[in-house]
Amino acid sequence: MSRFSVAARTARHPAERPVGDGDALLVAQGVRKVYRTGELSVLALDDLDLTVRSGELVAVMGPSGSGKTTLLNCLSGLDEIDGGHVLVEGNDLFEMSDHARTEHRARSMGFIFQSYNLIPVFTAVENVELPLLLVGVPAEEARERAVAMLGRVGLAHRERHRPNEMSGGEQQRVTVARALVARPAIVWADEPTGNLDSAMAAQIMDLLRQLNADDGQTIVLVTHDPVIGAAASRLIRMRDGRLAGDSTTVPPADAGDAMRP
């Protein structure tokens, strides 16, 4: 099938549902995504299969336009898909209503964005506690957990500061704390070091590796930086909406040092 083609949404049937294996946290099967602009249709994900197991730190790399961010958005349920299945913790995201999918995402997923996406009038602790408040955690407990998580990422001394009073690296640490405070099953990170210099990027990657190693936190990150990719325990390469490579490695203990100038 041409990459420039229209894909009809695949009918879903219980017999076609993918089955996870072992400790699989996410199972994607036959995922297709088409972007349409006027008469032009671009096949962004082409019958893609992927399994992510609990506790993995996965980096997704590929040239511009290869489908990296589209993959993250579709596997997290932020974007609709045009065919296939995506199961997270055994739940098919696209069999859910929009409301149920949003609730599942709030409870089971965390997000780290390149542009931080912090609320500028909120302090660091208010930004971090917000996801907890949105899912009904009592205010006192939400504040305690937010303070504790800021301590985990080395920002206990900045909890009362607003984003414009912090460096880029500190703001990204706040986004990491916000992504993790609800104890999600999986954290998605889209170019989490893209706006940082090499020293700050190394610190953020060291932090993600530490959280993955110490807590078993599952993390899937998109990056264009081969040094960041090499610091993950699994590297997926994409090209033209398909997986072009999938390798498991053991990053060196000083992987973060290689990122520093």
Side-chain angles (χ1 to χ4, degrees):
M1 178 180 291
S2 170
R3 178 167 168 76
F4 297 95
S5 59
V6 176
R9 190 175 185 89
T10 301
R12 295 186 174 86
H13 186 279
E16 299 173 343
R17 288 170 60 88
V19 178
D21 60 288
D23 56 355
L25 174 63
L26 177 143
V27 179
Q29 188 176 72
V31 175
R32 304 174 73 230
K33 174 66 178 178
V34 179
Y35 289 113
R36 299 176 178 85
T37 304
E39 297 182 357
L40 178 66
S41 296
V42 178
L43 185 59
L45 295 179
D46 188 4
D47 292 320
L48 185 143
D49 296 336
L50 178 66
T51 297
V52 175
R53 292 177 173 80
S54 181
E56 286 193 299
L57 173 53
V58 182
V60 181
M61 297 189 66
S64 178
S66 62
K68 302 185 300 296
T69 295
T70 298
L71 177 70
L72 185 152
N73 290 342
C74 288
L75 297 189
S76 65
L78 289 173
D79 281 356
E80 289 284 343
I81 62 175
D82 292 278
H85 301 274
V86 178
L87 273 66
V88 178
E89 296 183 301
N91 299 293
D92 192 324
L93 297 184
F94 298 99
E95 294 286 354
M96 299 177 179
S97 67
D98 288 343
H99 178 71
R101 192 188 315 160
T102 298
E103 284 199 339
H104 183 272
R105 191 162 51 237
R107 295 181 181 279
S108 298
M109 300 181 188
F111 293 86
I112 303 170
F113 301 99
Q114 178 177 350
S115 56
Y116 316 140
N117 286 7
L118 298 173
I119 299 176
V121 297
F122 282 8
T123 63
V125 71
E126 289 169 338
N127 270 283
V128 174
E129 72 185 0
L130 183 60
L132 299 176
L133 298 174
L134 292 175
V135 297
V137 174
E140 184 176 353
E141 179 185 345
R143 177 57 59 95
E144 290 176 355
R145 287 170 60 177
V147 168
M149 185 54 68
L150 283 171
R152 289 284 310 277
V153 302
L155 289 179
H157 63 299
R158 303 293 261 170
E159 64 181 60
R160 302 292 177 182
H161 289 72
R162 291 183 172 84
N164 65 358
E165 298 171 320
M166 294 182 285
S167 69
E170 288 173 332
Q171 290 183 64
Q172 192 61 298
R173 284 176 176 268
V174 175
T175 70
V176 172
R178 182 182 60 188
L180 292 169
V181 72
R183 302 166 188 152
I186 187 167
V187 168
W188 306 98
D190 190 5
E191 297 282 5
T193 62
N195 284 339
L196 305 176
D197 62 32
S198 57
M200 288 295 100
Q203 289 184 20
I204 294 299
M205 195 61 199
D206 284 345
L207 176 60
L208 294 177
R209 292 179 68 225
Q210 179 183 348
L211 293 164
N212 170 256
D214 294 350
D215 300 348
Q217 177 65 60
T218 307
I219 301 171
V220 178
L221 65 89
V222 166
T223 183
H224 69 279
D225 188 334
V227 181
I228 297 284
S233 55
R234 180 180 176 192
L235 178 59
I236 291 171
R237 295 189 180 276
M238 293 193 66
R239 183 174 295 277
D240 297 332
R242 290 178 172 269
L243 297 191
D246 187 347
S247 59
T248 301
T249 61
V250 179
D254 60 351
D257 292 340
M259 301 161 58
R260 296 180 174 87

